[in-house]
Amino acid sequence: MAIDGLIILDNTGRPIIQSGFRSTSAAYPMLHVDAFNNALPKSHRSGDIDPVIYVPPYNVADSPSACCHVECADMRILCPVSGDVDPLFAFAFLQTFIDILREYFGALSAATLKDNFDVVYQLLEETLDAGGHPLTTSPNALRDIVLPPSLLSKLLSVAGANLNSTINSGSGGGPFSSPIPWRKAGLRYNSNEIYFDMVEDLTAIVNKHGTTLSCSVWGKIETNAKLSGTPDCLLTFTNPHVITDCAFHPCIRLQRWKRDSSMSFVPPDGHFTLAEYRYTPTATATSARFISTGPPSAALAAKENIPIPFLLKPTVELTDSGGTFEFKLTSRMPSQTMEALVAEMYLGEGAGGVKCVASRGDGGGNLGRRAHDTMSTGGSATGSWTFDAKKMAVRWELPVVPPSSVWLLRGSFTSPSSGPRPAHALQVRFTVPSYTFSSLKIDQLKVTGETYKPYKGVRGKTSGNVEWRW
Amino acid sequence: MAAPGQDAKFFQRGKIEEFRAELHAAETKDKKFLKRKTVLKKIVANITMGNDMSPLFTDVVQCLGTPLLEIKKMVYLFLVSYGRSKPDQIHLVIPNFLQDCNDHNPLIRALAIRTMSYIPIPIVTDALNENLRHCLKDRDPYVRKTAAICVAKLYAADPRRAEKGGFVEMLRDLMLDSNATVVANAVAALSEIGDRQDGVIFKLNLATANKLLAALGESSEWGQIYILDSLLRYVPERHGDAEVMAERIIVQLQHANSAVVLTTIKALLYLMNYMENRRLIDYICKKMGPPLVTLLSSGPEVQYVALRNILLIIQRRPAVLKNDVKVFFCKYNDPIYVKLAKLEIMYRLARSENANEVLAELQEYASEVDIDFVRKAVRSVGRLAIKVEDAADACIQALLNLIETKVSYVVQEAIIVIKDIFRRYPGKYEGVIPTLCENIDALDEPEAKAAMVWILGQFSNKIDNADELLDDLLYTFLEESVEVQLALLTAAVKLFIYKSKSDKTKELVFKVLKWATEDVDNPDLRDRGFMYWRLLAINPTVAGEIVLAEKPAITTDSDRMDRGALDQLLLHTGTLGSIYHKNPETFIRNATGKSLKDSPALNAHSRAVLVPVARTQLPSGSVAVAGPGPIESHGDAAPAPPLPDAAPSPVSPSKPTPPIPPEAAAGETGEGDDDDDEPKGRPNNDPYSNLDGAFGNYTTDEPRPMGAGGRQGDDLEDLLF
């Protein structure tokens, strides 16, 4: 159960940085880079390339291997594995490593990594040993061994090199002195704060009759803790029954959650995801929360599904040389405003000549616009559309969708002689600020073990991704 | 200047001589070692770019004396890259190694032994031996955990020597260390050693397994994976042991790390084989579903791995996701590999209760853009009809609607599956034949054409103009592929038997027989031609009985995997084996096979299908190891115990086994016919050899005659708990 190493490629497919690959032949990493670069052009979309590529052996004496890879900003990170390794192990490690890089460098790009390659190397050395066993991956502990390229280390490199090594070996008992693996020892903050962001994401498929086929809401509690010492937190909820299938950060005491559905933990320092969950509505709670404007079948589906916060009526007519379409979108949110709503439809290979008219459907928007004057500015009064010639998709954007508003997009397109073959579905994405589907409520946060009273903050945020078929 | 964050400029091709000069220049007046650091960074950057920096060996190692950790790290990085290739110069570094092994800074001690373990040169290994022993008992856990992994490296270099040095015992003791990370790394090292064909056998007894579980809570996620994975090395002797252990690890299903979740599931699936308590088993099955579904909310890569594993798991434990077929509905934007994996699971989960939902989805997919996916969706409609009798009417209607679309590849796929439906439900759907005949001209793929020809021949008594249609198809007989030629030949004979009075059919069959026996090179076709000719010449009545004999009804159940094989494959849950649906030893050299071990606690159903691994093959007395240690035996005198699935004689590491053909490739691309071309001379005791990737890809999943698969009577019942 170990991976062979890690290779970071830039967008031209050339390696920027790779780990040692000490126990393999020199050609081994190149073999994987080639295998990946060969596989890439064979896939229609870049996302379609198999995530686990089979790599035949270079010598007959070698055994074949597999190349796991993920995309990360403008780079690809490859993770060759040989032997009967769990590819999830590889993917989990890749994700962890990417998270660490983000923690160190912020937004990632090939250029950033090149600029800081010595730090990346040190990180590789500390997170992954040559046998492919992950070593230290908790950002809190890593910061003790590898200095982030922050102002601090800039200062150090100017002020005197030896400081560097003394800091590494000295201060507070050295690395791994903390009894809690995910938390640094001896942290001090002037103001103690902890913030919880409940981020929920809805994914759903709606069929052409407007019936919800599948729908799920996944939530995350993203936390930012800036607390001194070793605080022991107890987070309780007023309605913990609305969430199920939780996955927790290792800091959470699982037995305690099992007993009374409260989260008891000593948090890591800084940003981390405390828990992930799935929202499972009870039948009565949800149907009351949305205005049911949909057909009866949709109302029926609401009993087991979370209602989609909007209604879409797509009408598409195809001819031999193209087609016309009309999309009518109605918000079903009772009081919240949806934002950044984007609907996209693939029109088929070779489609073109797209002409559309976007308008606001509910009485020309007069009433609605006055009511929400502060929010709707410029083009958002009608929405806007574009045609993405690369993706062959028409894109309809509604920056602000007030409750119960109605929006229209009418248009036509042409297709090459083989006839139109558009996608029979629209992909709709949106966000709703300060809102959660689950309305999971934090009852209170108790901090014990320390004397201070921290400042607490809670926010909700929702995004959605709905496939609406026609 | 070496200001951080602006190092991109180092990525320029540098000349060896320049670097050497710069290094020498840096020896003097190098305040705070900044110059040296800059040059070393350039050199490391060049190593990354693949430029050979090894000529600088002597110059670089001289920097090792610099009292700066950052420089030391870079020199060590250089050493691990080129140390192996400099056996004659490596002695220069040994004193530094020894000094660093005794440094007061634990990071440096660890760095030194780690680097040494990467350089498998005798002089280094000798130096490492003694220091590693100290480091395994170091007061600092960081050093101990690093040392544990180094033992595995040392073992890889020279197994027998590492054993004689007592390192395996020291690792065993580390499993009882007070620090959870050290425990986990010791387990990882022992597992790595145990996975080698020439390694000592690593087994856990109850006491040690419990100790490891106690360390689980404090371990890092990676440590948890190692520990959970090692539970498969523990063979429960009593039902209760397995049950208690499962209850202890079940909370790990809520871990945020997907690999922890899947490893937990693997351990649970394994332990379930040794359980008796049906209610607990049901409970565990229920608990496993949601975390598997949770994995589907991750990135597409994780989804893919999860889906391939779900496909395995639901065959063994159908209760797990019985009511969750909706979760597997494909979204338009899913990558194609996710869609294909979902499609297979949807078909597996289809029952009469949800057949309509599944069918509606499949029809939706038939209008998609990706041709490969559309074909598989159409084919799945047909397989659904064969699998779920209640849905057959609706499926046929759906297929007829698809034929209406006149999209060439849709029509062809539909005809291929309708042929199978005819065989599954004889006499029920022949009414649709006229619709099929209207589309004969659209067929240009051999498989579709052959299917249509089969339908024409088989039902030529019900098709009035069968002779005309067949005659049309015969125009191109000599250009057709063998598949179509064989079908045409048989169809012509069937037609003749049905309508032997007609002159036209007589003429037709004569024409075909003559072509087949005189103008064709393919021996199969020729032989079949001769056979039919003689049959018809000697006794046409008997020929009729033979050619039109009752065909066994077909089913899709036989494509389910053999239970024993499935049990064994599930031991590899989450691993590459589960992606390819092959046992790892079939595609990885030196991999040891895993198999369920018999024990008094093994439940009867699992034992009935146990792929035999006699316990006696393990060294006797292996259970009686004193103390808490898990090591069952030491191969210090005897070679590794014979493994049940190894080649005839135990393979010594110096003599590699013949390379195994990359069967895995076929499984991965998902289109190759999965014909296992087993290497010759290899004893065919691989339990999967008869599987032909039973569900590794789509084409092998086609319906087969009932009873042809290895389906045991009581098997079905067991599968449904």
Side-chain angles (χ1 to χ4, degrees), chain A residues 286-302:
Chain A
T286 48
S287 45
R289 293 184 58 222
F290 285 92
I291 308 163
S292 186
T293 51
S297 59
L300 255 177

Side-chain angles (χ1 to χ4, degrees), chain B residues 23-74:
Chain B
L23 269 180
H24 283 300
E27 276 167 28
T28 50
K29 289 191 197 159
D30 191 8
K31 225 171 144 196
K32 295 154 200 161
F33 310 109
L34 281 181
K35 284 191 205 162
R36 258 183 247 194
K37 215 156 90 183
T38 313
V39 187
L40 284 172
K41 272 194 186 180
K42 282 188 200 167
I43 295 174
V44 170
N46 267 281
I47 299 178
T48 323
M49 292 186 288
N51 300 332
D52 183 15
M53 292 286 117
S54 62
L56 291 169
F57 190 85
T58 44
D59 310 87
V60 171
V61 296
Q62 267 163 20
C63 299
L64 210 47
T66 318
L68 185 61
L69 185 62
E70 216 182 329
I71 288 189
K72 210 180 265 298
K73 277 186 179 172
M74 283 196 279

Side-chain angles (χ1 to χ4, degrees), chain A residues 22 52 54 86 248 467 469, chain B residues 84 254 332 361 574 662 668:
Chain A
R22 276 115 203 177
V52 183
Y54 172 80
D86 181 348
F248 296 118
E467 169 164 326
R469 296 177 182 162
Chain B
R84 257 191 302 185
Q254 300 192 316
Y332 182 77
E361 276 298 295
E668 190 189 40

Side-chain angles (χ1 to χ4, degrees), chain A residues 16 22 48-49 52 54 61 84-87 115 118 126 129-130 133 137 176 213 247-248 346 421 467 469, chain B residues 7-8 41 48 84 118 142 149 192 222 226 254 332 336-337 361 368 572 574-577 589 659 662 668:
Chain A
I16 312 174
R22 276 115 203 177
D48 273 352
I49 173 169
V52 183
Y54 172 80
D84 194 32
V85 179
D86 181 348
D115 276 345
D118 57 328
E126 291 306 328
D129 92 324
H133 298 283
T137 53
F176 307 103
L213 287 178
F248 296 118
Y346 173 71
R421 273 190 77 73
E467 169 164 326
R469 296 177 182 162
Chain B
D7 288 348
K41 272 194 186 180
T48 323
R84 257 191 302 185
Y118 299 156
Y142 182 74
I149 296 292
E192 196 176 315
W222 315 108
Y226 293 137
Q254 300 192 316
Y332 182 77
I336 184 71
Y337 53 83
E361 276 298 295
E368 275 242 27
H572 299 281
T575 68
L576 278 183
R589 197 160 55 87
E668 190 189 40

Side-chain angles (χ1 to χ4, degrees), chain B residues 184-197:
Chain B
N185 279 16
V187 171
L190 280 169
S191 300
E192 196 176 315
I193 291 172
D195 280 342
R196 298 174 59 92
Q197 280 189 341

Side-chain angles (χ1 to χ4, degrees), chain B residues 23 48 61 76 78 97 167 214 225 228 292 330 357 393 471 497 571 594 628 649 694 705:
Chain B
L23 269 180
T48 323
V61 296
Y76 274 141
F78 183 91
F97 277 143
F167 284 108
I225 294 171
L228 289 166
L292 283 171
C330 303
E357 281 173 278
D393 286 353
D471 201 25
I497 290 166
L571 299 177
K594 284 184 190 159
S649 64

